[in-house]
């Protein structure tokens, strides 16, 4: 998944803004923030949902739901923020 071209849906950018997810560091664009979050060093965990769908959880606790399209593209469907309790319950933080 990390070597694919990322396509960000309009729904994902709208949900990012509606849910009030905070930007990290000096990022000022939703598109740039999503691309920054999906860099390999920022990814904490990748969970397979179905054959083509994945949940990608970042170090900041953001959860991106993605879908693989073809052999070299990934569509970002939506995004939401996990709270610390959900992260601890899933075993991702101590």
């Amino acid at each position: 998944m990390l070597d694919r071209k990322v396509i960000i849906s309009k729904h994902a950018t709208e949900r990012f803004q509606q849910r009030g997810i905070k930007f990290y560091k000096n990022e000022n664009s939703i598109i740039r923030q999503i691309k920054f979050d999906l860099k390999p060093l920022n990814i904490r965990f990748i969970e397979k949902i179905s054959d083509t769908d994945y949940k990608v959880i970042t170090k900041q606790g953001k959860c991106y739901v993605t879908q693989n399209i073809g052999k070299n593209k990934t569509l970002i469907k939506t995004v939401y923020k996990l709270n610390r309790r959900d992260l601890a319950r899933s075993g991702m933080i101590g």
Side-chain angles (χ1 to χ4, degrees), residues 1 4 46-56 64-69 75 77:
M1 192 201 106
R4 297 173 176 262
I46 298 175
E47 177 183 345
K48 188 172 185 175
I49 298 172
S50 67
D51 289 342
T52 59
D53 295 345
Y54 292 88
K55 262 188 203 179
V56 179
Y64 293 94
V65 178
T66 66
Q67 180 180 20
N68 290 344
I69 301 172
L75 173 70
K77 289 177 161 182

Side-chain angles (χ1 to χ4, degrees), residues 37-38 42-47 55-64 80 82 87 90 92:
D37 287 341
L38 294 176
N42 293 330
I43 294 176
R44 176 177 283 171
F45 186 72
I46 298 175
E47 177 183 345
K55 262 188 203 179
V56 179
I57 300 172
T58 66
K59 290 182 180 179
Q60 295 85 25
K62 297 172 193 161
C63 182
Y64 293 94
Y80 57 93
L82 297 173
L87 287 171
S90 63
M92 286 180 242

Side-chain angles (χ1 to χ4, degrees), residues 2 27 32-44 56 58:
L2 300 175
E27 298 297 328
R32 286 180 54 193
Q33 178 64 47
I34 292 172
K35 287 182 179 180
F36 177 79
D37 287 341
L38 294 176
K39 288 186 178 180
L41 291 175
N42 293 330
I43 294 176
R44 176 177 283 171
V56 179
T58 66

